[in-house]
Structures are given as structure tokens and as C-alpha cells.
Amino acid sequence: MKTLHSILIILCTTCTGFSQGWLSQGARSSALANSGVALIDIYSYHHNPGALGYLKEGLVGLSYEAKYALKELQQQSIALAVPLKVGVISAGGQFYGYDSYRTTRAGVGYSIKLAENISAGVQINYLGMSLGNTYYGRKNTVSAELGILARLNNKISLGVSASNITRTKLSSYQDDRYGTILRLGAAYYILDNLMLTGEVEQEISKPTRLRLGIEYAPIPLLFIRAGVQGAPLDFAFGFGLVFGRVKIDLSSQYNQRLGWSPVVSLVVNFYKPKSSPKE
């Protein structure tokens, strides 16, 4: 059993290890099968920095995921965004793995509305990887990310993001690099309380991933979500609750071979400018 457990960890880390330039964060996006590039919330820091340009209040978000219910594959994240007179400044990080295999992504960003219906953002990130307590098992480098969000009208938004646009190297051996991921997606409000999301993700040299999600708010304080993504096929569901300035989201994804990946996240609205940021 111990051997099987170790093999499973190796397989999982192999599948995700070379994509550590980006990992989906937040239970809302998780419940929508990771289709978050066209959403506007604090976790846009991890999905599309361009979307943060629409924020008008200071937000902080914390998230925790137990990938396939294994503590060795757990990940935590934080994101912070504060509106300025012009634009929004942000910072955050994500931490994945355990003592023998750990990755870190942390950085700062700036987002701004270029026009009434379009916003863009850029991020500079530190990327770190550690394979135990050995000198040769550590790698530290820097990468860049950018994103754009366009609101075509009050019902449809289009988002695009590109992570690790610098094609940062992981190792000179066989020219290994952190994953460069391009994402294009849309959010469509069929009704004021019913939203559909769709997204296409393409990582260089890997299969294209398609994602679909749905979010329904039967009452203003409750959100119900579900989603599906392919390559490999994963199902997702979850819900969110709003308590004044605090929002709690819970979700889980299910992979037919590896099982469940529960996620919990918290969002706190801690700051509201006396006057709205410049449009």
C-alpha cells in the first residue's frame, strides 16, 4: 500500500509539476471546472490579471485545496487587490506540495481600465521549486503574465490570459521549461442570477482543454455551481455563501481515476475607497 501511495504521488506531481507557472485557485473557479479567465473577483489575480481592473473595493482571498485528498498534493493560495485613484495594485502567491516536492509562485501586479469596456493587467512572479533539502534540488527564477478582459455588454465578458510569457526555463537539461499557458474564455449572464462560462486552455506541447461551467443564485446570499472539463475528464460542483463583507466558497472536483479534490476559499471585503477609482 505504501508503494502504491508513493507511485500515485509521483504520477500526480509529474502531471502538474511542469505547469507550476499557473494553477487554478479559489473554490468558485474550481466549482466551474477551473473556467475563471472571464470572471471578475479576487481570484482573477491567479486567473486573469486584466480582470482586476474592474474591482472597486479592496479584497483579500485565501484558498486551500487537497488535491485528490492527499496531503502531499495540497495547495494554498492568497490574493490581495487594492484600488488606487488610477488602476488596481495586487499581490499574491500559491504554494503546492510537501517537503520532498514543493513549488512556490508569488508576485505583484497592476491592472487598469484602458477604456470603459476593456481592462488589462500585468504580473511579475517569482517561481521556486524544491526537491528536498539539497542544493541541486532547488530552482528559483522569474516569469511574467498578462491578461485582458473585455465587457461586450452587461451580459457578456471575454477574457484572455497568458502565463509565463517569458518561457522561463526550469532546467537546461533537455530544455525543460515552466508551462506557458494560453487561456481564452467567456462569461454569459443568461439571466441576472444565471451565468454560463466557457473556456479553452492551451499549454505548449499538451492537449487542448475545454471547460464549461454554470452558476445560479436562487437568492442573493447563495450561489450554486457545477462544471466539467476534458483532457482528462473532470466533473465539479460547489456553492458559495455571502455574509455581509465575507464570502465562503466550497467545491470539489472528481477525476474518475484519482478521486476527489475538495477546495475551500474565503473572500473578505476590507476596504472601500471614499470615492470610486477613476473610470
Side-chain angles (χ1 to χ4, degrees):
M1 179 61 69
K2 184 176 180 180
T3 301
L4 179 61
H5 188 262
S6 300
I7 292 174
L8 178 60
I9 292 174
I10 292 171
L11 289 174
C12 293
T13 53
T14 300
C15 292
T16 60
F18 295 97
S19 302
Q20 294 304 304
W22 178 81
L23 286 172
S24 177
Q25 302 295 325
R28 183 191 185 196
S29 176
S30 172
L32 298 171
N34 299 334
S35 56
V37 73
L39 302 181
I40 301 173
D41 60 25
I42 184 59
Y43 293 102
S44 296
Y45 174 85
H46 298 288
H47 294 240
N48 180 0
L52 294 177
Y54 287 98
L55 293 185
K56 296 183 178 181
E57 298 175 325
L59 300 173
V60 61
L62 301 171
S63 181
Y64 174 82
E65 177 179 3
K67 198 74 172 177
Y68 310 125
L70 294 173
K71 65 179 182 179
E72 291 85 358
L73 302 183
Q74 63 183 320
Q75 62 173 315
Q76 308 87 27
S77 73
I78 185 171
L80 172 72
V82 180
L84 307 175
K85 289 184 177 181
V86 178
V88 177
I89 190 170
S90 59
Q94 55 184 238
F95 316 94
Y96 174 89
Y98 67 120
D99 291 343
S100 296
Y101 176 79
R102 188 178 302 280
T103 66
T104 301
R105 175 182 179 270
V108 295
Y110 180 75
S111 309
I112 187 172
K113 291 181 70 174
L114 303 177
E116 179 62 27
N117 296 320
I118 189 167
S119 176
V122 64
Q123 234 176 65
I124 302 299
N125 295 305
Y126 156 81
L127 301 178
M129 177 178 287
S130 174
L131 300 175
N133 297 318
T134 63
Y135 174 81
Y136 294 102
R138 297 186 181 185
K139 174 68 176 180
N140 302 287
T141 187
V142 176
S143 73
E145 178 176 348
L146 57 83
I148 298 174
L149 185 76
R151 303 181 76 171
L152 303 186
N153 51 49
N154 61 353
K155 290 185 176 294
I156 302 176
S157 297
L158 296 177
V160 59
S161 73
S163 64
N164 189 27
I165 58 176
T166 52
R167 293 285 290 142
T168 299
K169 279 190 176 184
L170 175 64
S171 170
S172 298
Y173 178 71
Q174 294 186 347
D175 198 35
D176 286 336
R177 298 176 184 269
Y178 284 91
T180 295
I181 302 175
L182 305 177
R183 303 169 68 203
L184 172 65
Y188 173 44
Y189 279 89
I190 301 175
L191 302 171
D192 290 342
N193 62 344
L194 181 62
M195 178 188 69
L196 295 179
T197 62
E199 182 174 310
V200 178
E201 176 191 300
Q202 181 62 65
E203 181 176 355
I204 294 177
S205 75
K206 289 192 176 182
T208 301
R209 298 203 75 176
L210 301 178
R211 302 183 172 115
L212 295 173
I214 183 169
E215 179 180 81
Y216 174 58
I219 58 175
L221 304 181
L222 173 65
F223 296 85
I224 301 172
R225 309 177 180 107
V228 62
Q229 63 182 336
L233 183 64
D234 290 336
F235 301 95
F237 70 93
F239 64 91
L241 296 171
V242 180
F243 304 95
R245 289 175 172 265
V246 177
K247 182 180 179 183
I248 299 175
D249 294 301
L250 298 171
S251 71
S252 188
Q253 295 189 4
Y254 178 71
N255 179 282
Q256 297 179 73
R257 294 185 177 180
L258 300 176
W260 297 95
S261 297
V263 185
V264 59
S265 60
L266 173 72
V267 178
V268 178
N269 180 334
F270 69 92
Y271 166 69
K272 186 173 183 178
K274 293 182 180 180
S275 59
S276 298
K278 184 178 179 181
E279 298 292 335

